[in-house]
């Protein structure tokens, strides 16, 4: 029978142990979410309790055999830790039954973080990993199996996976095209997690699951800029971006901001777009402590005096001109506004830059400016000719142009359209089964613009080597398969989503080009070329602009089309004028149509 002293030793030891566990926060931990870090707290508490037992035995002069603290500590650790982790396992197992099982592609730090985050969440439970290295096949990470990429179909089948999540490291050398081909053959949806830059910036969490990024769909590695040259051209400079609220303009602003210019002026005519991008950039500026002076300015590029006043007020050194109407069918239906914004907006902004002493002016152009079949492309090619003429007329401001392909993820992009159509049950609408486009991501396009802005010497047209073009129909099918669905065809009537061909839209062509000539010149960047394009002397450009302005003010769409064709733009319309106001008889002059490249007046 224990003595009174032994009872006191036991009682005080229990009190001291409870106090230690309280101090270590063990009792504040929610058992369902208790982590392995709790083991350290339990261990420290048990050690403290065992030491307290020895000390109290000495103080109360009670015999405590040497083996007792050791045995006591072992039993205490097993009971305290075992009960908690046992309950956690039971609770999690019960909750896991309602979660979707996922397979994580990527066995690096990002994959580990994702698995940990998903295990704590309520939507998904990780069932295994897929490694890019065959040597990792059949190994274990935690209690989850690892499969080689060649065995991913077996993993999906054996583990009964409901979806696959991409968590490949940003700097891991991966053949994206081959990876997409393998993933496309799976019968489950494929999604991805945010990039490391988004995680570091705090704009996303590791468990923010979303559909595949556009660069993943492209199946190629993005073009990397020479950051040293770009940083040198932007650091502590005063920069202005026109069209700052648009898809390209806003991404330009994000990337410019992180190069720490002294001043960044956001020039935009849409109040809401300007408010949105200013608020986002202000948050990034504050969180990352960049110290950039941000100025949101409302205005139109068509107003020369407004542009000049803004440039003078902020001492602008570099202008990135991203403001433009870029949607082909909309510009076809609104010819005059397209020309006013794309041609005259560029001219007025460029003249304002010259008057304000701006050092560099970079125009964001498009591959549709090459042998255009639509007003949008012709207007952008004419904008290039305007800047080339200004580059010859003076040397104070360095003008350069950047030409790239379709920017996926921008407003009007086919990817979000296809995604919405697939979620709505189809059909997915493609204009033509053979239509082909070059693709870029918004970050790639913005990086190219910044790179060209630092490389320009005056009047150059820069283009990106974007690899092989992609068929829109193949992209649609790839998205259907990667969302875990099957295409509905005559051979597979039980499929989920049908691809329907709607015919080419006004001004649209099957193939886009990046170069007019066939003799591009290399630059310091291996993926950026410099086009050798035909230009016009400024006197001829000025005369053309005067005639175009006169036709625009009288709303003579036929004359505008004729002038665009007469200029060395290569414009060859593939249909009639479809301006909505012009064709509905509300123009000030008689309506006309363009047939076989000639404008014909119509009888009222």
């Amino acid at each position: 029978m224990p003595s009174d002293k032994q009872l006191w030793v036991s009682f005080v030891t229990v009190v001291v142990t409870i106090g230690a566990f309280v101090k270590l926060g063990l009792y504040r931990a929610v058992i369902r979410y208790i982590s392995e870090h709790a083991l350290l707290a339990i261990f420290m508490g048990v050690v403290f309790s065992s030491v307290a037992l020895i000390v109290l035995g000495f103080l109360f002069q009670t015999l405590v055999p040497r083996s007792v603290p050791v045995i006591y500590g072992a039993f205490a650790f097993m009971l305290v830790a075992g009960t908690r982790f046992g309950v956690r396992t039971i609770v999690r197992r019960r909750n896991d039954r309602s979660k979707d099982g996922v397979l994580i592609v990527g066995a690096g730090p990002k994959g580990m973080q994702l698995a940990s985050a998903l295990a704590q969440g309520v939507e998904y439970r990780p069932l295994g990993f897929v490694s890019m290295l065959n040597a990792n096949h059949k190994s274990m990470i935690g209690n989850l199996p690892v499969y080689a990429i060649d065995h991913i179909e077996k993993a999906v089948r054996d583990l009964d996976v409901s979806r696959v999540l991409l968590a490949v490291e940003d700097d891991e050398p991966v053949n994206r095209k081959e990876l997409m081909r393998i993933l496309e053959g799976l019968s489950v949806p494929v999604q991805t997690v945010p990039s490391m830059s988004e995680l570091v910036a705090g704009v996303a969490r590791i468990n923010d699951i979303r559909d595949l990024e556009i660069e993943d769909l492209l199946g190629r590695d993005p073009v990397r800029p020479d950051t040293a040259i770009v940083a040198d051209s932007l650091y502590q400079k005063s920069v202005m971006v026109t069209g700052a609220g648009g898809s390209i303009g806003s991404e330009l602003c994000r990337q410019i901001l992180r190069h720490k210019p002294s001043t960044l002026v956001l020039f935009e005519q849409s109040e809401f777009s300007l408010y949105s991008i200013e608020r986002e950039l202000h948050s990034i500026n504050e969180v990352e402590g960049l110290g950039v002076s941000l100025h949101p300015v409302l205005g139109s590029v068509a107003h020369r005096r407004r542009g000049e006043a803004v440039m003078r007020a902020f001492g602008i050194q570099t202008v990135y001109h991203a403001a433009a109407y870029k949607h082909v069918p909309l510009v076809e239906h609104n010819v005059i506004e397209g020309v006013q914004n794309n041609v005259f907006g560029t001219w007025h902004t460029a003249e304002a830059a010259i008057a304000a002493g701006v050092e560099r002016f970079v125009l964001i152009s498009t591959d549709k400016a090459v042998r255009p079949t639509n007003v949008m492309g012709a207007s952008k090619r004419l904008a290039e000719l305007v800047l080339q003429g200004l580059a010859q007329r003076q040397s104070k401001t360095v003008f350069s142009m950047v030409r790239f392909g379709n920017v996926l993820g921008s407003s009007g992009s086919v990817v979000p359209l296809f995604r919405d159509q697939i979620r709505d049950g189809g059909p997915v609408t493609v204009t033509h089964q053979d239509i082909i486009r070059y693709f870029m991501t918004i970050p790639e396009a913005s990086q190219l613009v910044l790179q060209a802005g630092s490389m320009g010497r005056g009047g150059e047209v820069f283009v990106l080597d974007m690899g092989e073009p992609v068929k829109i129909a193949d992209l649609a099918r790839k998205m259907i398969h990667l969302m875990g669905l099957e295409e509905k065809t005559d051979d597979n009537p039980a499929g989920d989503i049908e691809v329907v061909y709607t015919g080419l839209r006004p001004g649209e062509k099957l193939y886009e080009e990046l170069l007019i000539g066939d003799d591009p010149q290399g630059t310091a960047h291996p993926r950026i070329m410099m086009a050798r394009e035909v230009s016009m002397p400024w006197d001829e450009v000025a005369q053309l602009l005067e005639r175009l302005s006169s036709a625009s003010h009288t709303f003579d769409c036929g004359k505008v089309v004729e002038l665009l064709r007469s200029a060395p733009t290569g414009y060859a319309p593939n249909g009639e004028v479809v301006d909505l106001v012009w064709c509905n008889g509300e123009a000030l002059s008689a309506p006309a149509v363009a047939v076989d490249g000639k404008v014909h007046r119509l009888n009222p």
Side-chain angles (χ1 to χ4, degrees):
M1 185 175 180
S3 65
D4 291 342
K5 289 184 179 182
Q6 290 174 325
L7 290 174
W8 271 108
V9 169
S10 300
F11 175 75
V12 176
T13 301
V14 170
V15 172
V16 169
T17 303
I18 292 174
F21 283 145
V22 169
K23 190 69 175 176
L24 291 168
L26 185 63
Y27 297 125
R28 294 195 301 271
V30 180
I31 292 180
R32 177 184 297 179
Y33 302 111
I34 197 169
S35 68
E36 284 67 25
H37 296 292
L39 289 174
L40 180 60
I42 295 172
F43 178 78
M44 292 173 61
V46 168
V47 169
F48 190 83
S49 178
S50 299
V51 172
L53 178 62
I54 297 171
V55 172
L56 290 170
F58 176 77
L59 293 177
F60 283 93
Q61 296 183 350
T62 301
L63 178 63
V64 178
R66 298 176 186 176
S67 60
V68 168
V70 177
I71 297 172
Y72 162 74
F75 273 101
F77 182 82
M78 286 189 293
L79 286 172
V80 175
T83 53
R84 280 165 171 74
F85 281 90
V87 171
R88 187 194 73 165
T89 301
I90 294 172
V91 171
R92 283 190 176 182
R93 183 164 296 178
R94 185 178 60 191
N95 292 336
D96 283 349
R97 295 173 185 171
S98 60
K99 295 182 182 180
D100 290 337
V102 299
L103 185 65
I104 299 174
V105 178
K110 186 188 286 190
M112 303 299 105
Q113 293 176 34
L114 177 61
S116 177
L118 295 180
Q120 305 291 338
V122 296
E123 293 184 85
Y124 308 107
R125 59 189 174 100
L127 298 177
F129 294 94
V130 174
S131 174
M132 300 295 109
L133 301 176
N134 290 329
N136 293 336
H137 186 56
K138 291 188 177 181
S139 58
M140 297 287 290
I141 297 179
N143 60 337
L144 301 178
V146 179
Y147 294 82
I149 187 65
D150 296 337
H151 296 79
I152 189 171
E153 290 189 32
K154 182 177 185 300
V156 169
R157 186 173 58 253
D158 293 349
L159 300 176
D160 192 23
V161 170
S162 64
R163 68 186 60 221
V164 172
L165 303 181
L166 275 179
V168 180
E169 301 301 318
D170 296 348
D171 56 352
E172 187 171 352
V174 177
N175 187 332
R176 290 180 177 271
K177 192 170 185 178
E178 179 64 17
L179 179 59
M180 285 299 106
R181 186 192 65 77
I182 294 173
L183 296 177
E184 191 179 345
L186 302 177
S187 58
V188 295
V190 180
Q191 293 179 296
T192 187
V193 297
S195 64
M196 193 56 68
S197 59
E198 291 175 299
L199 298 177
V200 172
V203 298
R205 298 171 300 172
I206 187 67
N207 57 339
D208 287 341
I209 308 302
R210 60 195 185 197
D211 291 322
L212 283 177
E213 295 294 342
I214 295 157
E215 52 264 39
D216 296 320
L217 293 173
L218 292 183
R220 65 172 173 80
D221 295 324
V223 176
R224 305 295 181 189
D226 187 331
T227 54
I229 295 178
V230 174
D232 185 61
S233 67
L234 293 174
Y235 182 70
Q236 292 301 301
K237 297 293 180 67
S238 186
V239 183
M240 173 173 159
V241 178
T242 68
S247 304
I248 296 297
S250 59
E251 179 62 24
L252 271 174
C253 291
R254 294 183 194 100
Q255 296 193 22
I256 291 171
L257 183 68
R258 290 191 166 92
H259 286 290
K260 298 183 180 180
S262 61
T263 302
L264 178 56
V265 175
L266 317 174
F267 195 76
E268 172 64 55
Q269 67 176 347
S270 168
E271 180 187 24
F272 177 74
S273 297
L274 183 60
Y275 166 74
S276 300
I277 187 61
E278 192 274 336
R279 184 176 60 176
E280 179 187 343
L281 295 179
H282 178 75
S283 176
I284 296 173
N285 196 29
E286 290 292 321
V287 170
E288 300 187 15
L290 300 175
V292 179
S293 180
L294 288 172
H295 302 282
V297 178
L298 280 168
S300 170
V301 293
H303 299 156
R304 182 184 304 187
R305 293 182 63 187
R306 172 64 168 169
E308 182 181 341
V310 172
M311 294 177 196
R312 288 186 183 276
F314 297 102
I316 299 300
Q317 296 168 279
T318 303
V319 172
Y320 291 96
H321 184 56
Y325 291 146
K326 307 180 184 74
H327 197 271
V328 170
L330 283 180
V331 175
E332 288 295 300
H333 292 311
N334 299 271
V335 171
I336 302 299
E337 288 302 311
V339 170
Q340 285 292 312
N341 199 55
N342 293 355
V343 178
F344 289 98
T346 300
W347 178 32
H348 293 323
T349 307
E351 291 284 13
I354 294 172
V358 171
E359 298 172 7
R360 291 183 177 274
F361 187 103
V362 184
L363 169 69
I364 286 77
S365 190
T366 170
D367 60 349
K368 293 176 178 61
V370 178
R371 283 182 271 269
T373 58
N374 50 71
V375 175
M376 193 282 282
S379 66
K380 293 296 286 184
R381 176 58 186 142
L382 186 52
E384 292 180 356
L385 290 171
V386 168
L387 292 194
Q388 288 174 317
L390 289 174
Q392 296 172 14
R393 194 190 78 186
Q394 54 80 58
S395 58
K396 184 168 61 174
T397 301
V398 175
F399 290 99
S400 56
M401 292 131 276
V402 187
R403 190 185 291 163
F404 46 76
N406 292 267
V407 181
L408 293 178
S410 63
S411 55
S413 166
V414 296
V415 169
L417 172 63
F418 287 170
R419 188 172 290 142
D420 290 341
Q421 290 176 336
I422 294 170
R423 286 173 177 165
D424 292 339
V428 173
T429 56
V430 179
T431 55
H432 194 282
Q433 60 183 359
D434 295 323
I435 194 167
I436 288 176
R437 292 291 182 267
Y438 289 98
F439 287 144
M440 291 188 72
T441 65
I442 293 177
E444 274 185 301
S446 302
Q447 290 164 4
L448 172 62
V449 170
L450 297 180
Q451 184 81 48
S454 62
M455 295 166 60
R457 294 293 177 266
E460 301 95 339
V461 177
F462 294 98
V463 296
L464 174 66
D465 176 12
M466 296 192 299
E468 295 296 323
V470 177
K471 290 183 69 173
I472 300 292
D474 290 345
L475 179 65
R477 294 189 184 95
K478 181 178 291 187
M479 290 186 65
I480 292 171
H481 297 153
L482 289 172
M483 293 180 77
L485 303 171
E486 292 184 7
E487 183 187 359
K488 183 178 181 180
T489 62
D490 293 338
D491 297 332
N492 184 24
D496 304 293
I497 305 293
E498 185 180 8
V499 176
V500 175
Y501 301 103
T502 58
L504 293 175
R505 298 172 296 181
E508 193 171 40
K509 58 182 180 180
L510 288 177
Y511 311 102
E512 298 290 1
E513 305 166 272
L514 287 169
L515 295 168
I516 296 176
D518 297 320
D519 187 25
Q521 180 179 343
T523 66
H525 194 289
R527 297 288 294 277
I528 298 177
M529 299 175 293
M530 192 164 58
R532 302 175 188 269
E533 307 288 27
V534 176
S535 61
M536 295 173 63
W538 175 249
D539 291 342
E540 295 182 18
V541 175
Q543 293 175 14
L544 175 61
L545 290 174
E546 185 178 349
R547 294 196 297 270
L548 199 59
S549 177
S550 176
S552 297
H553 282 109
T554 59
F555 211 87
D556 191 345
C557 287
K559 184 64 174 179
V560 169
V561 171
E562 185 179 358
L563 288 170
L564 290 175
R565 287 191 66 254
S566 65
T569 59
Y571 177 41
N574 58 8
E576 61 183 28
V577 177
V578 292
D579 184 280
L580 296 177
V581 178
W582 175 258
C583 292
N584 281 282
E586 294 178 16
L588 298 178
S589 59
V593 295
V595 180
D596 297 329
K598 296 182 179 180
V599 178
H600 301 275
R601 296 286 178 185
L602 296 177
N603 293 324

